[in-house]
Amino acid sequence: MKDALEQATSGGGKVSRDWGAIAPAVLVFALLALGPLAAEAYGGAYLTSLLMRMMLLAIAAISLDLLIGQGGMVSFGHAAFIGLGAYVAGIMITEGAADLAMILPMAIVASTVFAVVTGAISLRTSGVYFIMITLAFGQMLFFTASSLSAYGGDDGLTLWERSTVFGFDLLSSNVTLYYLILVTLIGAYALVGALVGSRFGRVLRAAKENPTRVEALGFSVFSYRLTAYVIAGVMAGVAGVLMANQAEFVSPSTLAWQRSGELIIMVVLGGMGLRNGALLGAVALVALEETLSSITHDWRLIFGPLLVLTVLYAKTGLAGVADAWVARLWRRA
Amino acid sequence: MSSPILRLAGLHKSFGALVATDNVTLDLSPGECHALIGPNGAGKTTLIHQISGVLKPDAGRIFFAEQDVTDAAPHERAQLGMARSFQITSIIPGFTVLENVALAAQARSGSSFRFFGRAKAETALNDAAIQALTIVGLEARRDTVAGSLSHGEKRSLELAIALAMAPKALILDEPMAGMGREESARLITTLRELKSRVPILLVEHDMEAVFALADRVSVLVYGRVIASGAPEEIRADPEVRSAYLGEDAA
Ligand SMILES: Nc1ncnc2c1ncn2[C@@H]1O[C@H](COP(=O)(O)OP(=O)(O)OP(=O)(O)O)[C@@H](O)[C@H]1O
Ligand SMILES: [Mg+2]
C-alpha cells in the first residue's frame, strides 16, 4: 500500500523501472501465450509439446534459482523433485486416483517430506559437499524409481489417461493443459519475485553473502535455508505432476542427474539470482538444444563451446544482457 | 548496584596445546564500559567468540540476561539482546548501507518468516535503521553499496548494525582498528554517550580510547586475566606495566 503510494508520488520514473525489470519476462509470456495459435499454423502438436516441456523446465529452473541465486545452495539433485511429482501423478493415475485435487496435495506432501529430510542433512554441509550430497540423494531416488517394477521399472510407466480437474476432463485437450502450464509458470515467476523482496528473501540473500553476520543478528540461517529448500522442492514437484500429464509417460530419466545438471546450466546461462535469469536460461537452452539437434547429431560439440563462451563473455547471463537492452531502450524513450 | 547483564565463570578454551582462555571470570554491569586489553594473541577475540557463541568453551559457564547461554547458538544469544562487532569487519557487502542496518532492525521486529510484502518498503525498519545510522554519522551514505565504503565507514556501519538490534549489551572487538584519528575521536564520543544506555564490553588496542571510555579495565595475558580494576589502578599496576603497558610507558 505504502509502496504503491510511494510509486505514485515519485512520478513515472520508479514505475517504469519496475516494469523494465520484468519486461523481458512479460515478452516471453506474451509469446508463449501465442504458442497454440502458432502451432495451428505451423509445427502442430510437436511445437505445443515442445513449448510445454520448455515451460515446465522453466518452472523447475526458477525454483532452483531461489536456491542457487538467492541462497547460495548449489543443489545437484533438483530433478529428484520433478521426478517425485511425476511419479506421484503417474502412480495415482495408474491406480485410478487421477484427479488433480488429490494428486497435487499428495505431490506437495511428498516433495515437502523429501525436502525436509534430505535438506536437513544436506544443509549441514556447504560448498562442494553440498553439491555431492544433493546429487547422492537424487541418485537414491533415481534408483528407487528404477526398481519400481510394478510401475514400469527402468522402462518407465505409460499413462493411459490424463488427470481430471475436480472431476472434469479438461486436460485431455492439449490447449487447456498448455494454458494451465503457462499460468503455473507465471505464478512461479511471480512467487519467487515476491519471495526475493520479502523479509524472508532478504535474510536468505544476506546469508548467502555472510552467514556468520546473519547468525550474529539473531537469525537461524539453517531454518531459512531449509524453508527455501522446501519451497523450491515443492515448486519442482508441481512441475513434475504437470510433466507426467503432458508426456503421458513417467520414467527414471525424468529424475536423472543429467536433468539436474541441465537445470543448473539453465540458471547459470540465464544469469544467477537475476529476476529473469532462470526463465530466459530455460527458454534459451531448450530452444538451442532443439535447433542444434535438428541440424546435427553431434550437437553437443557445438553446444558445449557456446555455453563456455556465454559464461565467459556474458558473466551476468542472458538476463544481464536483456536488462542492459531494456535500460538502453528506456533511456532512448 | 544491579546484577550484571553478562557474566563469565571460569572459562577455559585451548587449541591443542595452546591455552587461549585460562580460567577467565569477568562480568559486565548495566551502565558501564568494561574494557578488555592485552597484547596480540592474548586471547581476546577467542573470548569474544565464546561469548557470542561462535566458539564453544571447553569448561566454564556463560550467563547473559539472567540465563545460562553456554550451550546456546549465536542466533539465540543475539535474540536475547547480545550484539557484537567483529575484529574483521563483517557486513553484507552487496546490500546498501540502509539495508544492512534495516536487516538488523528486522531481526528485532517480529517474525522474518514473512514471504510477501516488500521488506524494503517497511517504514518502521527503515526508520529504525536511519536512527542508528544517524548515531554513527553514516546517514548520508544510506544508499551506498556497503562493500564500497571506506574502511572506517565500514567500522561505523558495523556499530550501526549492532545498535539497530536494540541490544542489551554491546560486545565490540577493536571497533577503532584501522580508523583515522578523526573517525576514532568521533566514535569515542558516540560510545561515551551510548554506554549509559547499553553496557559495552570493549576490546581495544587504542589506549587513548580505553582510558577515555572504560569504567573498568581487565588485562588479558596468555589467556589469563592478570589484573582487573579502575583505569587508574590498572595504569599504576606494576605487573600490567611490565606485561603490557610497558611498551607504551617506555
Ligand atoms: N581457531 C584457532 N585454532 C588455533 N589457534 C587459534 C585459533 N584461533 C585463535 N588461535 C590462537 O589463539 C591465540 C589467541 O588468539 P586471539 O585471536 O584470541 O588473540 P587476540 O587477543 O584477539 O589478538 P589480537 O590482538 O591480535 O586480535 C593466538 O595464539 C591464536 O593464534
Ligand atoms: Mg583479536
Side-chain angles (χ1 to χ4, degrees), chain A residues 1-4 6-7 14 18 187 190-228 231, chain B residues 54 73-76 78-79 82-86 89-95 98-100 102-104 106-123 125-126 158 161-162 165:
Chain A
M1 184 63 211
K2 168 85 187 101
D3 198 27
E6 223 174 69
Q7 287 188 2
K14 186 146 183 273
D18 285 358
L191 175 69
V192 169
L195 285 179
V196 169
S198 73
R199 279 186 168 213
F200 172 80
R202 183 189 255 173
V203 176
L204 194 65
R205 283 182 290 125
K208 180 191 177 191
E209 290 195 39
N210 189 346
T212 316
R213 174 31 92 194
V214 175
E215 280 277 334
L217 290 179
F219 298 108
S220 160
V221 168
F222 175 81
S223 311
Y224 286 85
R225 287 186 173 157
L226 184 58
T227 306
I231 294 172
Chain B
V54 173
H75 73 266
E76 293 167 327
Q79 280 166 5
M82 185 193 289
R84 71 166 293 190
S85 74
F86 292 79
T89 311
S90 184
I91 55 174
I92 316 295
F95 280 22
L98 183 70
E99 220 183 352
N100 264 277
L103 178 66
Q106 186 179 316
R108 275 273 138 266
S109 123
S111 170
S112 280
F113 283 100
R114 290 192 204 161
F115 304 98
F116 301 98
R118 282 185 46 190
K120 269 189 188 168
E122 285 195 46
T123 333
L125 300 184
N126 292 341
E158 242 203 310
I161 288 172
M165 292 169 69

Side-chain angles (χ1 to χ4, degrees), chain A residues 37 40-41 48 113 225 228 308:
Chain A
L37 293 178
E40 227 162 88
T48 332
V113 171
R225 287 186 173 157
V308 173

Side-chain angles (χ1 to χ4, degrees), chain A residues 264-309:
Chain A
I264 296 178
I265 293 175
M266 289 172 181
V267 167
V268 174
L269 181 69
M272 282 184 286
L274 295 180
R275 189 81 171 83
N276 307 307
L279 175 68
L280 296 185
V283 168
L285 191 75
V286 173
L288 211 64
E289 276 182 1
E290 198 56 32
T291 321
L292 291 179
S293 63
S294 70
I295 296 171
T296 160
H297 184 69
D298 302 313
W299 60 276
R300 277 172 215 275
L301 285 180
I302 309 174
F303 178 70
L306 219 53
L307 191 66
V308 173
L309 285 178

Side-chain angles (χ1 to χ4, degrees), chain A residues 32 45-61 82 162 174 177-178 181-182 185 239-240 242-249 253-254 259 262-263 266 279 282-283 285-291 293 299:
Chain A
L32 283 170
Y46 178 77
L47 181 61
T48 332
S49 82
L50 174 70
L51 291 179
M52 284 197 275
R53 211 154 40 79
M54 178 189 274
M55 292 191 283
L56 290 167
L57 289 173
I59 296 171
I82 302 181
R162 283 181 178 172
N174 259 340
L177 182 62
Y178 185 97
I181 292 174
L182 177 58
L185 171 62
L242 296 173
M243 196 176 277
N245 273 289
Q246 183 267 321
E248 295 169 17
F249 178 69
S253 71
T254 317
R259 168 64 58 75
E262 208 176 35
L263 292 175
M266 289 172 181
L279 175 68
V283 168
L285 191 75
V286 173
L288 211 64
E289 276 182 1
E290 198 56 32
T291 321
S293 63
W299 60 276

Side-chain angles (χ1 to χ4, degrees), chain A residues 71-330:
Chain A
M73 297 169 265
V74 183
S75 167
F76 205 158
H78 205 55
F81 291 96
I82 302 181
L84 203 55
Y87 266 91
V88 166
I91 292 171
M92 286 180 74
I93 291 173
T94 306
E95 297 299 337
D99 204 275
L100 268 193
M102 289 187 285
I103 291 178
L104 266 186
M106 188 54 115
I108 290 172
V109 169
S111 310
T112 303
V113 171
F114 189 69
V116 168
V117 173
T118 62
I121 298 169
S122 311
L123 287 170
R124 307 268 166 215
T125 67
S126 59
V128 178
Y129 297 101
F130 182 81
I131 298 178
M132 297 318 280
I133 199 164
T134 47
L135 173 64
F137 280 125
Q139 288 304 93
M140 253 172 58
L141 213 60
F142 174 81
F143 289 117
T144 309
S146 310
S147 65
L148 287 177
S149 47
Y151 299 104
D154 276 330
D155 299 330
L157 178 64
T158 301
L159 306 179
W160 301 106
E161 54 175 347
R162 283 181 178 172
S163 289
T164 49
V165 184
F166 295 110
F168 296 103
D169 181 24
L170 297 177
L171 304 184
S172 56
S173 145
N174 259 340
V175 175
T176 327
L177 182 62
Y178 185 97
Y179 284 108
L180 176 64
I181 292 174
L182 177 58
V183 167
T184 311
L185 171 62
I186 295 173
Y189 174 82
L191 175 69
V192 169
L195 285 179
V196 169
S198 73
R199 279 186 168 213
F200 172 80
R202 183 189 255 173
V203 176
L204 194 65
R205 283 182 290 125
K208 180 191 177 191
E209 290 195 39
N210 189 346
T212 316
R213 174 31 92 194
V214 175
E215 280 277 334
L217 290 179
F219 298 108
S220 160
V221 168
F222 175 81
S223 311
Y224 286 85
R225 287 186 173 157
L226 184 58
T227 306
Y229 197 75
V230 171
I231 294 172
V234 167
M235 289 175 68
V238 170
V241 168
L242 296 173
M243 196 176 277
N245 273 289
Q246 183 267 321
E248 295 169 17
F249 178 69
V250 196
S251 80
S253 71
T254 317
L255 57 156
W257 67 266
Q258 289 92 338
R259 168 64 58 75
S260 294
E262 208 176 35
L263 292 175
I264 296 178
I265 293 175
M266 289 172 181
V267 167
V268 174
L269 181 69
M272 282 184 286
L274 295 180
R275 189 81 171 83
N276 307 307
L279 175 68
L280 296 185
V283 168
L285 191 75
V286 173
L288 211 64
E289 276 182 1
E290 198 56 32
T291 321
L292 291 179
S293 63
S294 70
I295 296 171
T296 160
H297 184 69
D298 302 313
W299 60 276
R300 277 172 215 275
L301 285 180
I302 309 174
F303 178 70
L306 219 53
L307 191 66
V308 173
L309 285 178
T310 317
V311 174
L312 280 181
Y313 288 103
K315 287 203 180 68
T316 52
L318 300 175
V321 175
D323 286 347
W325 280 348
V326 171
R328 204 177 314 154
L329 279 178
W330 239 272

